Amino acid sequence: MLNYFQKIMEKIFDNTQIAFALKSDSELDRAYFLFKLIDNEPLVRIGTAVTNFALKAHLPVEKLIRASVFDHFCGGVSEDDCMPVMEKMYSKGVCSVLDYSVEGKDDEAQFDAAMKKTLKIIQFAKEKDAIPFAVFKPTGFGRFDLYKKVGSKSPLNFEEHQEWDRVVARYEAVAKMAFEQDVSLLIDAEESWMQDAADDLVLRLMKKYNKIRPIIFNTLQLYRWDRLDYLKKIHEQAKEEGFFIGMKLVRGAYLEKENDRAKEKGYKSPICATKEESDKMYDDTVAYMIENINQMAVFAGTHNEISSYKLMQLMKDNNLAFNDNRIWFGQLYGMSDNISYNLAEKGYNVAKYLPFGPVRDVMPYLIRRAEENTSVAGQTSRELMLIKKERERRKLNDN
């Protein structure tokens, strides 16, 4: 007789009627067209170059971008603009993580603006059951090179000390408000050579604000072979000092950059040698957190169906309720709807990262998203297969 794991492996994520219930026929056609483009690496390179040129030349292309790639992968240009999307998703049990996805800004005024935007999102989330988390990116609050210098323990000059104090103050401001408003706060991870400084800051906030429950969440990129050891190390601190650990788990987004830098600088790459090793590291870390769930909370950010099934099975084996608030599944808006909506339909906690911001400012994020989809083996073809299946199902039902 098939066990539970085998049964759900056959059934849950192939239900395209549930996965695409919110998409109209025209939206489904647009998704098919977009993923067809993304599946073609030369077209992605050409499209990226043309888009960058058009934006730099201030050509009137924003309406075209908004009607195509932007509206598929983003919720809107502002928090209020995202509301219809959030409400539609929440009607199916899928929550939102509002992600202000303006990238590449590198001055104090922009860092302060990003902090204020995060504070506003926390206040916004407090009033909306559909928004259980706020989020920010470390380099949204400070310069990359400053994180790198602090993490390497290099001495800072007077101006850099002042600059770092401002970064710390931004983290503290958003963490304090998240604690006061009882809104969980996700802090993303970035390149390994700046991550130590961010990790130290986030750990300090966990010790301060995670005394009652996990409010502050760091992110582990589990294509790194050292991250489970890092989690075990801070778990020992948590047991000794009496605080909870919140972690978002992802595989990682900077693989080529990490390997290229390691080769150039002559040090061992922090990245697992194979995809299979990365997958095992991810699944082992999920298992470790579920084993220690009484002191942890996990936001499992993955588009991998097998890893999602494994977490479902772990929850069943440990007699954990589908809607245990310490366990969340997360995907990006515009991707893996077959995972998100089928999980939500079964009663699991699910949240989509919902990027937003001015069209022109969000383009670096969208370009990176297209490039990542092109490089992830099987992801785009899986999206296309599911969309095609749903289109055919609708045609049959219409006849």
Side-chain angles (χ1 to χ4, degrees):
M1 190 169 94
L2 293 176
N3 64 28
Y4 177 82
F5 180 70
Q6 289 171 316
K7 286 179 183 177
I8 58 175
M9 283 288 286
E10 287 179 2
K11 292 181 179 178
I12 292 179
F13 297 145
D14 289 332
N15 189 322
T16 60
Q17 184 174 3
I18 290 173
F20 300 116
L22 294 179
K23 282 196 173 358
S24 65
D25 289 348
S26 62
E27 287 170 333
L28 207 59
D29 290 344
R30 180 183 66 187
Y32 187 79
F33 171 74
L34 286 172
F35 281 111
K36 266 290 191 185
L37 287 177
I38 291 169
D39 201 34
N40 188 314
E41 190 173 349
L43 278 179
V44 170
R45 287 201 301 268
I46 293 166
T48 296
V50 170
T51 301
N52 281 329
F53 170 79
L55 291 171
K56 287 175 182 175
H58 297 284
L59 299 178
V61 294
E62 290 190 22
K63 285 186 178 179
L64 175 61
I65 294 169
R66 177 80 201 252
S68 55
V69 63
F70 184 93
D71 279 352
H72 182 81
F73 289 111
C74 298
V77 297
S78 67
E79 301 94 323
D80 290 331
D81 196 28
C82 291
M83 280 304 301
V85 174
M86 289 190 293
E87 288 172 354
K88 278 177 67 177
M89 290 200 297
Y90 195 56
S91 73
K92 298 296 183 181
V94 175
C95 295
S96 299
V97 181
L98 279 177
D99 183 13
Y100 184 58
S101 296
V102 174
E103 298 183 356
K105 307 295 185 180
D106 203 21
D107 62 70
E108 292 294 298
Q110 291 293 339
F111 298 146
D112 285 338
M115 178 195 69
K116 289 173 184 174
K117 180 65 72 173
T118 308
L119 291 170
K120 185 178 178 182
I121 290 170
I122 292 170
Q123 292 175 319
F124 197 67
K126 175 64 178 175
E127 307 302 323
K128 308 286 182 185
D129 290 339
I131 314 174
F133 297 89
V135 65
F136 73 89
K137 189 175 180 180
T139 51
F141 282 17
R143 282 191 305 116
F144 184 98
D145 286 342
L146 185 62
Y147 282 101
K148 177 183 167 186
K149 195 167 184 179
V150 171
S152 67
K153 311 300 183 188
S154 300
L156 305 182
N157 61 35
F158 178 74
E159 288 78 14
E160 288 169 335
H161 270 295
Q162 289 187 313
E163 186 182 359
W164 184 245
D165 286 345
R166 291 192 293 272
V167 175
V168 173
R170 293 182 189 111
Y171 274 68
E172 173 63 29
V174 296
K176 183 173 184 289
M177 178 168 281
F179 176 77
E180 291 172 349
Q181 301 297 325
D182 199 31
V183 173
S184 296
L185 180 65
L186 302 168
I187 301 166
D188 286 341
E190 301 185 59
E191 291 89 340
S192 62
W193 58 98
M194 63 76 64
Q195 190 60 41
D196 285 350
D199 285 344
D200 289 345
L201 266 182
V202 179
L203 181 57
R204 190 188 313 175
L205 296 174
M206 279 191 197
K207 290 179 179 182
K208 184 173 182 179
Y209 292 111
N210 286 8
K211 293 289 189 180
I212 301 170
R213 77 168 185 90
I215 289 280
I216 308 300
F217 284 64
N218 202 356
T219 298
L220 297 179
Q221 297 188 103
L222 293 160
Y223 63 3
R224 287 181 56 177
W225 47 261
D226 66 339
R227 293 292 82 187
L228 179 52
D229 288 339
Y230 172 75
L231 175 61
K232 290 177 178 178
K233 176 184 170 186
I234 66 168
H235 185 205
E236 290 305 311
Q237 295 181 45
K239 286 187 283 189
E240 290 173 11
E241 299 177 38
F243 64 92
F244 292 89
I245 292 172
M247 284 292 177
K248 183 178 79 165
L249 306 182
V250 299
R251 276 169 170 77
Y254 306 95
L255 188 147
E256 290 179 5
K257 192 187 291 188
E258 292 280 0
N259 284 331
D260 288 348
R261 186 177 190 271
K263 187 176 180 180
E264 177 191 334
K265 301 285 185 181
Y267 61 82
K268 181 182 177 181
S269 173
I271 305 301
C272 293
T274 64
K275 183 182 184 302
E276 290 73 23
E277 289 179 22
S278 294
D279 290 341
K280 185 176 186 304
M281 181 62 67
Y282 183 94
D283 293 336
D284 287 351
T285 305
V286 170
Y288 182 83
M289 293 195 72
I290 296 302
E291 287 167 15
N292 296 282
I293 198 64
N294 288 334
Q295 201 167 9
M296 299 187 183
V298 57
F299 186 101
T302 183
H303 295 180
N304 187 293
E305 293 179 14
I306 294 174
S307 288
S308 299
Y309 286 134
K310 286 181 177 180
L311 175 50
M312 294 163 71
Q313 184 65 42
L314 281 168
M315 292 174 70
K316 182 176 186 294
D317 292 344
N318 286 274
N319 297 313
L320 297 169
F322 287 0
N323 64 346
D324 189 310
N325 204 44
R326 298 167 296 183
I327 304 168
W328 284 79
F329 294 79
Q331 290 79 43
L332 297 168
Y333 182 69
M335 294 173 60
S336 298
D337 286 346
N338 66 309
I339 296 177
S340 306
Y341 288 96
N342 281 297
L343 281 171
E345 198 271 338
K346 297 293 182 187
Y348 292 91
N349 297 320
V350 183
K352 287 273 204 187
Y353 257 57
L354 188 62
F356 75 98
V359 174
R360 187 174 293 272
D361 291 336
V362 171
M363 280 313 299
Y365 165 85
L366 290 173
I367 288 167
R368 184 162 58 83
R369 183 63 56 232
E371 290 171 345
E372 285 172 11
N373 272 278
T374 301
S375 65
V376 176
Q379 177 66 43
T380 302
S381 58
R382 177 66 170 153
E383 297 280 358
L384 283 167
M385 185 273 288
L386 290 163
I387 294 168
K388 184 178 179 182
K389 180 181 174 183
E390 176 59 12
R391 291 166 93 195
E392 290 172 353
R393 187 195 69 79
R394 291 184 185 186
K395 285 178 184 175
L396 282 173
N397 285 354
D398 288 343
N399 292 335

